[in-house]
């Protein structure tokens, strides 16, 4: 850290994004991107006419896109908030609702940005341990009188909790904001968006990065009560009023209009997820049940770090963390069938090499 940076960031450990190496061609199964391109409608929307308008600022309210999202989820436009990726939504949540009097709680094994934002804003926080098998126990969050962030499905484990269990968490913490991060909900999970009309304190976050193949477009959104959305808007207009660019909004609107295309892609990913988990089971791996576009798996015969390094040497990227409780596991993004066959082939080679 330079001598110019504020001392309040002395202890800050920044989030480390997944590798994007340029040294060779990899089978890239490390950042939970979709193996499928955006729909043809998205390509059509990014036309010369739309590009020619880049000299103009985008609509800061994102009205067209918010109306489409509202219609998709059966809510009002005022219940929809747009963010520059779901990470910006998370940032705004921590900034808007958490402070020294209102600490935040989240699972001890979950998305790595949660503790980063807590540290960035010097927030008191409770990192609640998962139970055996990396299970989240909803009772740990009921009536705790803290703001709460839960990824469902959880990352990196892929496990889910039910809508009924989420409702009990939200119901028993009426004076605190609860964010359910549903970045991976469209790969077999059940969304709790339907609870938003019942609970003023519930915010549901989603993203266009995974299911809708727009990771490079950087678009996240939240569905919540008007009270929470207005609070988020206040933060947005105090930081970056034009946070969503014109081309991203055009692409996202077209993606919503071609929802069937993405539903079919999700079915294929779910089939490939089951195929890959079965293939790993035959090789002696232990894989957690997943409702995400990835699996969390370990091989009792090969230490997690060595498996990760060996796969990378063979041209396959997966994700691994040094955190002791999960260091033996690798998170494997589910790609197309060809990618998963290559992954399984390289795993077999590693096992044969001893």
């Amino acid at each position: 850290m330079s001598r110019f940076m504020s001392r309040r960031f002395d202890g800050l450990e920044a989030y480390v994004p997944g590798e994007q190496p340029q040294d060779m061609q990899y089978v890239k199964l490390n950042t939970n991107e979709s193996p499928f391109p955006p729909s043809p409608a998205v390509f059509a929307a990014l036309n010369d006419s739309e590009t020619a308008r880049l000299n103009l600022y985008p609509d800061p309210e994102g009205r067209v896109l918010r109306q489409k999202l509202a219609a998709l989820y059966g809510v009002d436009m005022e219940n929809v908030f747009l963010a520059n990726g779901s990470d910006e939504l998370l940032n705004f949540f921590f900034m808007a609702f958490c402070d020294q009097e209102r600490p935040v709680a989240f699972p001890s094994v979950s998305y790595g940005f949660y503790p980063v934002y807590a540290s960035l804003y010097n927030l008191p926080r409770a990192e609640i341990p998962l139970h055996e098998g990396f299970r989240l126990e909803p009772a740990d969050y009921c009536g705790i009188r803290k703001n709460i962030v839960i990824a469902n499905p959880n990352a990196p484990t892929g496990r889910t909790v039910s809508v009924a269990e989420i409702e009990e968490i939200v119901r028993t913490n009426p004076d605190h904001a609860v964010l359910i991060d549903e970045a991976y909900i469209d790969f077999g999970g059940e969304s709790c968006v339907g609870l938003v009309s019942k609970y003023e304190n519930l915010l549901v976050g989603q993203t266009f990065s995974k299911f809708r193949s727009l990771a490079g477009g950087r678009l996240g959104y939240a569905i919540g009560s008007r009270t929470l959305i207005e609070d988020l808007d206040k933060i947005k207009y105090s930081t970056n009023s034009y946070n969503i660019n014109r081309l991203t909004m055009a692409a996202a609107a077209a993606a919503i209009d071609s929802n069937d295309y993405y539903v079919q892609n999700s079915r294929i990913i779910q089939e490939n997820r089951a195929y890959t988990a079965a293939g790993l089971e035959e090789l002696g791996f232990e894989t957690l049940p997943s409702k995400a576009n990835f699996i969390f798996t370990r091989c009792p015969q090969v230490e997690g770090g060595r498996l990760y390094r060996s796969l990378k040497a063979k041209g396959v990227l997966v994700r691994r963390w040094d955190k002791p409780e999960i260091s033996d596991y690798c998170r494997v993004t589910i790609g197309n069938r060809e990618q998963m066959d290559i992954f399984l082939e390289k795993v077999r080679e590693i096992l044969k090499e001893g």
Side-chain angles (χ1 to χ4, degrees):
M1 190 174 75
S2 79
R3 62 189 177 87
F4 303 104
M5 195 170 189
S6 170
R7 303 299 298 178
R8 70 180 184 274
F9 298 125
D10 279 354
L12 182 64
E13 294 186 19
Y15 175 74
V16 180
E19 295 173 274
Q20 303 282 354
Q22 308 296 317
D23 59 322
M24 62 179 279
Q25 188 69 36
Y26 289 93
V27 175
K28 199 165 177 296
L29 306 176
N30 66 323
T31 50
N32 297 340
E33 296 149 320
S34 173
F36 301 106
S39 71
V42 170
F43 288 95
L46 301 179
N47 53 38
D48 290 345
S49 175
E50 193 65 36
T51 304
R53 302 175 69 197
L54 285 174
N55 60 309
L56 304 175
Y57 285 110
D59 175 11
E61 295 183 30
R63 283 165 290 191
V64 171
L65 181 54
R66 287 170 64 210
Q67 286 168 354
K68 285 182 177 290
L69 284 167
L72 182 65
Y73 290 103
V75 298
D76 294 329
M77 186 180 77
E78 289 75 19
N79 298 118
V80 181
F81 176 81
L82 302 178
N84 193 297
S86 58
D87 291 336
E88 184 180 60
L89 169 63
L90 291 169
N91 184 23
F92 287 172
F93 179 89
F94 279 78
M95 193 188 310
F97 304 116
C98 307
D99 55 32
Q100 294 299 312
E101 287 73 42
R102 302 175 73 84
V104 62
F106 46 81
S108 61
V109 176
S110 194
Y111 184 35
F113 243 131
Y114 302 160
V116 171
Y117 285 133
S119 296
L120 180 66
Y121 297 116
N122 192 30
L123 301 172
R125 82 257 203 166
E127 297 192 36
I128 299 177
L130 297 177
H131 291 245
E132 184 178 358
F134 300 106
R135 295 178 183 275
L136 184 148
E137 175 51 63
D140 293 340
Y141 297 84
C142 291
I144 62 173
R145 299 183 180 180
K146 294 178 174 64
N147 293 324
I148 296 168
V149 182
I150 292 174
N152 192 45
N154 194 20
T157 68
R159 284 192 176 276
T160 59
V161 293
S162 71
V163 172
E165 290 169 324
I166 289 171
E167 180 168 13
E168 188 64 10
I169 293 170
V170 176
R171 186 188 67 80
T172 59
N173 292 283
D175 298 321
H176 291 81
V178 178
L179 171 61
I180 305 300
D181 183 353
E182 293 187 345
Y184 303 100
I185 200 66
D186 293 297
F187 300 100
E190 183 183 2
S191 175
C192 64
V193 165
L195 299 177
V196 165
S197 61
K198 293 177 63 176
Y199 298 98
E200 187 181 36
N201 61 323
L202 173 62
L203 196 68
V204 181
Q206 294 198 14
T207 178
F208 277 70
S209 294
K210 323 297 183 184
F211 173 67
R212 294 190 176 92
S213 302
L214 285 176
R218 310 311 303 131
L219 181 65
Y221 58 100
I223 311 293
S225 67
R226 293 192 183 196
T227 299
L228 295 183
I229 299 303
E230 288 173 358
D231 291 340
L232 292 174
D233 273 334
K234 186 171 186 178
I235 297 298
K236 185 191 89 165
Y237 284 109
S238 300
T239 54
N240 182 11
S241 55
Y242 298 105
N243 64 330
I244 313 298
N245 73 71
R246 177 180 295 279
L247 295 183
T248 290
M249 283 197 281
I256 293 173
D257 290 341
S258 47
N259 203 55
D260 289 347
Y261 169 85
Y262 296 102
V263 169
Q264 177 58 26
N265 288 347
S266 176
R267 290 195 191 103
I268 295 171
I269 289 172
Q270 291 176 61
E271 290 169 1
N272 291 346
R273 183 179 67 203
Y275 170 81
T276 305
L280 290 172
E281 184 178 3
E282 291 178 2
L283 298 173
F285 277 65
E286 298 171 0
T287 302
L288 298 185
S290 173
K291 293 292 186 180
N293 69 335
F294 59 81
I295 54 176
F296 203 49
T297 189
R298 68 180 290 269
C299 179
Q301 288 77 41
V302 184
E303 184 269 330
R306 187 163 77 84
L307 180 62
Y308 156 77
R309 292 188 295 272
S310 298
L311 283 168
K312 184 175 181 179
K314 293 177 180 293
V316 177
L317 286 178
V318 298
R319 192 82 191 266
R320 178 191 171 267
W321 292 266
D322 288 327
K323 199 169 185 177
E325 57 264 53
I326 59 173
S327 61
D328 260 355
Y329 285 79
C330 289
R331 191 195 67 191
V332 184
T333 301
I334 303 301
N336 59 39
R337 185 59 65 91
E338 179 185 5
Q339 290 174 312
M340 305 324 296
D341 280 336
I342 293 172
F343 164 71
L344 290 171
E345 175 189 346
K346 299 306 179 184
V347 168
R348 292 187 191 100
E349 290 179 7
I350 292 166
L351 293 176
K352 287 179 181 177
E353 293 165 1

